[in-house]
Amino acid sequence: MTTPQGPQPPEAPLHCDRLDYTPLPQSVTFARRRAHRLLGEWGHPELAADTALLVSELSGNAVLHGCVHDRLFRVELALTPHVVRIVVTDPKGELLPSPRTAGEGDMFGRGLLIVREVADRWGVRELTVGKSVWCELDLVRQDDRPGSGGRPERPHKAHRAHSAHNARQSSRLSSR
């Protein structure tokens, strides 16, 4: 689901992090690892893999499509009482991203499809200079319910998306 204005309504964050990165492929790795570590430190290890995947996809898009020479891209994470919010901002706003269908032999073109599948909400916000692509993961916890034992309820979406991708790859290889 996309909303042009951004995540609604904004909540005061319990934790937040913001870091600017150079537009190089290794920055995607650094941003992904940082996001994974922070979600664990913030007490939500069950969301660390999904958050890291989303940061990786949005940061990869920023490096490939959104950066201008000598301009950085920014990754922001915020944990509110109800969501984890991820915002990746880059300086190139002429062409706003949208999901597309990648061909079987295409190396690229699946990032926003993954974001759409894993995130609970996502969207794009135009800025005066550049754009922000944001997404949110809801914090759904059983420990709010009596007798739940405090275990996280949220399924691990990144695992399902990865498993579906691997199944498609396996079927392609076996049909050759």
Side-chain angles (χ1 to χ4, degrees):
M1 174 176 171
T2 60
T3 308
Q5 276 72 26
Q8 302 291 333
E11 295 181 285
L14 302 171
H15 297 280
C16 58
D17 181 72
R18 180 177 79 186
L19 193 62
D20 294 337
Y21 294 91
T22 55
L24 300 170
Q26 62 262 35
S27 294
V28 175
T29 303
F30 297 147
R32 180 181 63 243
R33 289 179 181 162
R34 182 180 182 88
H36 193 278
R37 179 180 52 81
L38 286 172
L39 264 289
E41 289 175 4
W42 294 349
H44 290 280
E46 75 280 6
L47 295 175
D50 286 349
T51 302
L53 175 63
L54 292 167
V55 165
S56 183
E57 293 299 334
L58 296 180
S59 296
N61 284 350
V63 169
L64 287 173
H65 308 294
C67 286
V68 179
H69 184 67
D70 290 336
R71 297 290 305 272
L72 304 175
F73 72 96
R74 173 173 290 165
V75 177
E76 297 175 73
L77 297 174
L79 175 68
T80 74
H82 298 99
V83 300
V84 173
R85 183 176 304 127
I86 301 159
V87 182
V88 177
T89 304
D90 66 59
K92 200 169 183 180
E94 301 84 49
L95 183 61
L96 299 180
S98 63
R100 66 182 184 94
T101 303
E104 192 172 312
D106 290 345
M107 292 284 295
F108 303 102
R110 294 170 184 83
L112 288 178
L113 297 174
I114 292 170
V115 170
R116 184 173 69 189
E117 185 66 28
V118 174
D120 292 301
R121 283 164 302 287
W122 77 278
V124 179
R125 194 178 72 180
E126 293 180 78
L127 304 173
T128 303
V129 175
K131 66 183 171 298
S132 289
V133 183
W134 61 269
C135 61
E136 292 180 337
L137 293 170
D138 290 335
L139 302 181
V140 178
R141 299 188 63 99
Q142 284 183 347
D143 59 4
D144 294 336
R145 300 180 195 162
S148 67
R151 293 210 155 131
E153 177 184 86
R154 182 180 179 85
H156 186 52
K157 288 185 175 182
H159 177 72
R160 286 192 315 227
H162 183 69
S163 296
H165 173 73
N166 285 345
R168 285 191 302 274
Q169 292 291 76
S170 295
S171 68
R172 279 190 218 146
L173 292 174
S174 63
S175 66
R176 289 183 181 174

